[in-house]
Amino acid sequence: MFGRKTKSTIDSLIGAATNIAGNVHFKGGLRIDGCVKGDVIADEDETSMLVISEHARVEGEVRVAHLLVNGEIIGPVFSSELLELQPKARITGDVHYKALEMHGGAVVSGKLTHDTVDEPILKLAVPILAAHNT
């Protein structure tokens, strides 16, 4: 809750009439309305958001912190924070996620894998003393 600021603004747009053949690397927020034949990968060092709109299509690997899908992805998906699958979402490929929100109508043809992040173990500030025999 306090560790990361969530980023929900879109910095870049791939328009509906745009077709990209090649990999897309981005920082911040990206919305895809067109077609990308290649991997779509966000910078790992920053909080990122990717929106795949209703008529969009991505053929390749997708790696991002927060992913909102209402279009089609053909390829593996890696969401390190939150994956939101809207009613018209279609994913063909294995999906790795930390948190998942899936609406009725969304379809995943592949394996869903919940990635657990190794969180630090809480340590007590004062050690617990063994019970004394009296």
Side-chain angles (χ1 to χ4, degrees):
M1 179 161 77
F2 298 107
R4 293 185 126 178
K5 294 180 182 176
T6 57
K7 174 138 175 113
S8 59
T9 60
I10 300 299
D11 301 310
S12 303
L13 169 69
I14 296 174
T18 303
N19 293 307
I20 294 178
N23 297 337
V24 176
H25 294 268
F26 71 97
K27 292 181 180 184
L30 172 64
R31 178 183 172 110
I32 299 176
D33 291 338
C35 180
V36 175
K37 290 186 179 184
D39 299 341
V40 179
I41 300 174
D43 187 339
E44 291 181 23
D45 296 334
E46 294 187 23
T47 300
S48 56
M49 179 175 190
L50 174 62
V51 176
I52 309 290
S53 71
E54 182 179 344
H55 301 290
R57 179 181 173 106
V58 174
E59 296 178 27
E61 181 178 298
V62 174
R63 284 186 181 269
V64 66
H66 183 176
L67 176 60
L68 191 148
V69 182
N70 203 25
E72 183 175 16
I73 298 174
I74 299 172
V77 173
F78 299 87
S79 174
S80 61
E81 294 295 327
L82 174 63
L83 172 60
E84 296 181 61
L85 300 177
Q86 298 292 315
K88 295 185 180 181
R90 298 165 311 282
I91 297 178
T92 304
D94 292 342
V95 176
H96 301 265
Y97 65 93
K98 181 177 178 184
L100 174 66
E101 181 179 313
M102 188 170 183
H103 293 257
V107 176
V108 176
S109 299
K111 182 171 59 172
L112 288 171
T113 303
H114 178 245
D115 290 338
T116 56
V117 176
D118 293 334
E119 296 187 17
I121 298 172
L122 295 176
K123 295 185 179 182
L124 297 174
V126 179
I128 298 174
L129 301 175
H132 295 281
N133 291 338
T134 56

